[in-house]
Each structure stands twice: as C-alpha cells, then as structure tokens.
Amino acid sequence: MLLKSVTSIAAFAAVASAKIFYAGVAESSGEFGVYSQTKEKGFGLPGKFGVDYSFIDKAGIDIHVDKNKINLFRIAFLLERMCPLSYGLGAKFNETHFDYFKEAVDYVTKTKGAYCILDPHNYMRYNDPSQQPMTGSIIGDTADKTAATTAQFGAFWGELAGRFKDNEKVIFGIMNEPHDMKTSLVLQNNQAAIDAIRKSGAKQLIIAPGNSWSGGHAWTEGTDSNTQLSKLKDPANNFAFDIHEYMDQDFSGTHAACTQPASKLAGVTSWLKQNNFKAMITEFGASNTTQCAQMLSDMIKYMDTNEVYIGWTAWAAGPFWGTNSACCTDSKQWGSLEPTSKAADGSPGLYETVWLKVIQPLVPKQLVWSGISSVTGGTVSVKPGV
C-alpha cells in the first residue's frame, strides 16, 4: 500500500510539472546605471557597457544551465539605450548597444540551448529613466507632447523582432510592468507591438503585460482592470500573458516578510481558464526566512498544478547585483540569485539560501529544449547531453 501511494504521488508530480515548459531566472543588470538621486534627466545615458551596466555573466549562465538545468532567462535592457533620446523611440537603434545585447541573447540561446525573453525594462515609459519606475513619459499618452507614440512603440518592436525572427528560442516580452495609466492604453500599445512583431515575419511566443505592475493579485480587480486585455488578438495565436507576483505585504518584492499566499492568484487564474489563455509569471521572489521558503514553494507548486501557467522566471540574478539584493530583503545586503553571489558579511547569499535550497528542488526535471518558443510548449525532456 505504501509503495503504491508513493508511486502514485510520483506519477502525479511528473504530470503536474510537465505543464511548465519553461523555467528559469530573470537576468537584471542591463537596466542599471541610470538612477539619479537628483532626478537628472539623461543621467547614466548611454552609460559604459561593463562598467555601468551589463546583461549576463556567461559563467553564471553556464552554472544555471549546466548544473541547475533551467531553460529560460529573461534579459532586461533599457529602451533609452537601444533607442537613444537623440533618435527617439522607433526603428533606429544604437548598433553598438544592440550588438552587446545580441551577444547575450545568442549566448543563452545558441551557445547554451536555452530560451530567452527580451525584456524592455521601462514600465511602458520612455525618455527619462532617471528615477525608474516613476519617471518617463507614458508611451502613447497623447496628452503629453514629450511622449513617444504608440506607432513608435510598434516600430521599435517591428525592428527588434525582425532582427531575431530566425532565432526560434527568443520570446518577445512586450514591456516590463506598465503602471498608473489607463488599461485601454496598455491594450493599445500591446496590440501595436503584437501587430508589428507578426508583420516582421517573427512567429515566436509573445508575452503581453498587464497594467498595475502586471500584478496577478490585482488582475481582475477595480473598475479599470486587466480583464480588458481579453481583446488582444494575435494572428499567429502564439501569445500568453506576462504576470508578476510577490508575496510581501504590498506585493512590491521589497520586504523580507511574506504575508501574501499563492491563493491571491485565484482571480487571474480563473480568468485565464475562462478565456482559454495561458500565462508566464516572469517575476516572483521571496527572502530567506522560513515562512517565505514555504510560501515560495507554494507559489511554484501552484503554477505546476494550474495548467494555465506555462513558465516562470524568478527575480532575480544578474552580474551587477554583487552583495545587493534584487528581492525581498528590506534593503539588507543578502546577495541575489546570481551563482556565487554572497551576502555583504560573506555568508551564503540568496543563490544558496533561496535558489539552491528552495527553488532548485522544484525546477521541473523535464523542460522544452528544442523548437520554436510556443504557448503550447513542445516536447519536454531532460537537458540534452545529461
């Protein structure tokens, strides 16, 4: 009887995990180097690659893929560096900056065989990242004469997608965390991006954000909710929603204490099911406390057992965090999810205390390692060569 029960549990776990096709970590550092204490517009732009900002550390990617067997990385960049203010948002790129970004994407996808989310980390804003996430003009805001237009945003995405249309392991993340704007404008900008991406000939997976910081807990709430995004249309039928969810008191990912359980996702999960949509949670995280460990485990298991979720990236790794923390520490220096990251006092960092201890055991043993990125996933297997 005991053997039968254990076998049944193992079989259920394999089925549940198979619903997650993509699992990994967000790579944050490409958006660094622009914050200004004095709100100086243009501070840190364009910045020096490798000094002010970077995209990935190849050795860290190696560990995550070869040892941890994850297949997804979300690589952040700034629109103001890809499309300098002197150009304006659109199809004209700073080619030197693009080449640095492409090198990182190619390393993840072509050298290591994993998938990569392209992440413009701009909060649906452009022209002033000096105090992100609050500064910059809202893209498409016709009442703001300094704002980039929806058409320019579409032009940007058409150009970027066209440059990666032959890389089947790319995923187009339309925008990081739009907030404090009309959801109808998020819908408008998302649709312009989708249309431009498909017009470029790119067929890979697109993930579309919601308003209100893309927060899953708030997705269906309020009088201007993200339920309006059900109107999005993709001629290729290959898109999902991009959701973020933290477990601290205000869902911000800044506090060490976890108080918000995975059940807060019930509303958006129901909405996804009712509308036959899928989603990725591309930002979530927690501190190294015992309570957070349990709630973080519950979050990953929640995604495993709800088939509307096809993938996730934990927040965050990245080469420039050092002893600083990307998530959930009340500004304490506990390190990040970057391999070899340590706390400021030299003790084990969040890579060891959160990733290896809590997240790693819950990474599905089988993920998608080949084929075009897709909302329907693909054939899952252990990492090739293992």
Side-chain angles (χ1 to χ4, degrees):
M1 184 65 182
L2 177 60
L3 178 61
K4 182 178 179 181
S5 298
V6 171
T7 302
S8 298
I9 291 170
F12 172 77
V15 171
S17 294
K19 296 171 184 174
I20 296 294
F21 300 114
Y22 310 99
V25 66
E27 290 287 324
S28 165
S29 286
E31 76 279 30
F32 278 26
V34 293
Y35 186 84
S36 169
Q37 294 286 354
T38 59
K39 303 182 182 180
E40 178 188 344
K41 184 176 181 179
F43 180 84
L45 295 175
K48 186 174 182 180
F49 179 73
V51 176
D52 301 308
Y53 70 98
S54 189
F55 294 117
I56 62 170
D57 174 65
K58 292 178 181 178
I61 299 295
D62 290 348
I63 292 171
H64 269 311
V65 176
D66 299 336
K67 179 181 178 181
N68 300 334
K69 306 298 189 296
I70 61 174
N71 74 336
L72 182 62
F73 297 85
R74 177 178 180 246
I75 302 182
F77 67 94
L78 276 180
L79 288 176
E80 290 85 0
R81 286 188 173 125
M82 195 70 77
C83 299
L85 303 184
S86 59
Y87 301 175
L89 185 61
K92 186 178 180 180
F93 289 2
N94 178 317
E95 297 299 337
T96 299
H97 183 73
F98 173 79
D99 287 345
Y100 286 134
F101 182 67
K102 185 176 185 296
E103 180 185 11
V105 173
D106 285 351
Y107 190 80
V108 166
T109 58
K110 297 181 179 181
T111 302
K112 304 307 296 184
Y115 289 80
C116 179
I117 300 171
L118 312 187
D119 170 32
H121 213 80
N122 275 76
Y123 306 90
M124 202 63 88
R125 286 155 169 80
Y126 174 83
N127 72 22
D128 182 13
S130 66
Q131 287 207 316
Q132 274 196 346
M134 305 311 297
T135 53
S137 296
I138 295 171
I139 296 170
D141 181 0
T142 57
D144 182 351
K145 293 182 179 179
T146 70
T149 66
T150 297
Q152 287 176 302
F153 186 56
F156 160 77
W157 264 114
E159 180 66 20
L160 188 66
R163 295 183 181 212
F164 285 106
K165 67 181 180 182
D166 295 323
N167 186 337
E168 65 181 10
K169 293 194 170 183
V170 159
I171 296 169
F172 303 117
I174 292 176
M175 178 57 63
N176 176 68
E177 294 188 350
H179 66 88
D180 293 290
M181 56 192 295
K182 291 183 177 180
T183 303
S184 59
L185 186 49
V186 178
L187 171 64
Q188 177 181 305
N189 290 340
N190 281 349
Q191 190 63 62
I194 292 171
D195 292 346
I197 290 168
R198 296 307 181 217
K199 187 176 180 179
S200 78
K203 299 178 180 179
Q204 300 99 314
L205 175 64
I206 298 171
I207 53 175
N211 201 4
S212 301
W213 313 87
S214 290
H217 62 280
W219 199 271
T220 60
E221 296 179 355
T223 58
D224 190 32
S225 75
N226 285 322
T227 58
Q228 299 169 60
L229 299 179
S230 62
K231 298 175 184 177
L232 281 174
K233 304 296 182 184
D234 176 13
N237 293 315
N238 192 20
F239 89 100
F241 286 100
D242 186 352
I243 293 172
H244 293 178
E245 189 71 2
Y246 290 95
M247 288 154 277
D248 56 346
Q249 62 196 46
D250 57 2
F251 303 97
S252 67
T254 60
H255 305 290
C258 289
T259 61
Q260 306 291 354
S263 59
K264 292 290 184 176
L265 292 168
V268 66
T269 301
S270 177
W271 179 79
L272 290 165
K273 290 178 179 178
Q274 290 171 4
N275 289 277
N276 197 30
F277 290 133
K278 303 291 187 181
M280 284 188 175
I281 297 186
T282 65
E283 282 191 29
F284 67 98
S287 73
N288 54 14
T289 65
T290 300
Q291 182 185 31
C292 284
Q294 182 59 58
M295 294 181 75
L296 183 56
S297 296
D298 291 345
M299 172 71 74
I300 297 173
K301 291 174 182 177
Y302 184 91
M303 290 185 279
D304 279 347
T305 54
N306 282 281
E307 61 184 10
V308 294
Y309 298 104
I310 62 171
W312 50 260
T313 53
W315 184 261
F320 272 26
W321 282 103
T323 61
N324 293 309
S325 298
C327 175
C328 319
T329 64
D330 292 299
S331 299
K332 294 182 177 68
Q333 294 181 316
W334 290 347
S336 72
L337 301 184
E338 182 73 12
T340 72
S341 175
K342 300 291 184 182
D345 63 2
S347 64
L350 295 183
Y351 172 72
E352 294 177 68
T353 61
V354 173
W355 180 276
L356 291 182
K357 185 177 179 180
V358 182
I359 300 176
Q360 185 62 51
L362 297 173
V363 172
K365 302 301 182 185
Q366 295 188 329
L367 294 166
V368 173
W369 290 99
S370 63
I372 191 169
S373 59
S374 174
V375 69
T376 57
T379 301
V380 296
S381 67
V382 297
K383 183 182 179 297
V386 176

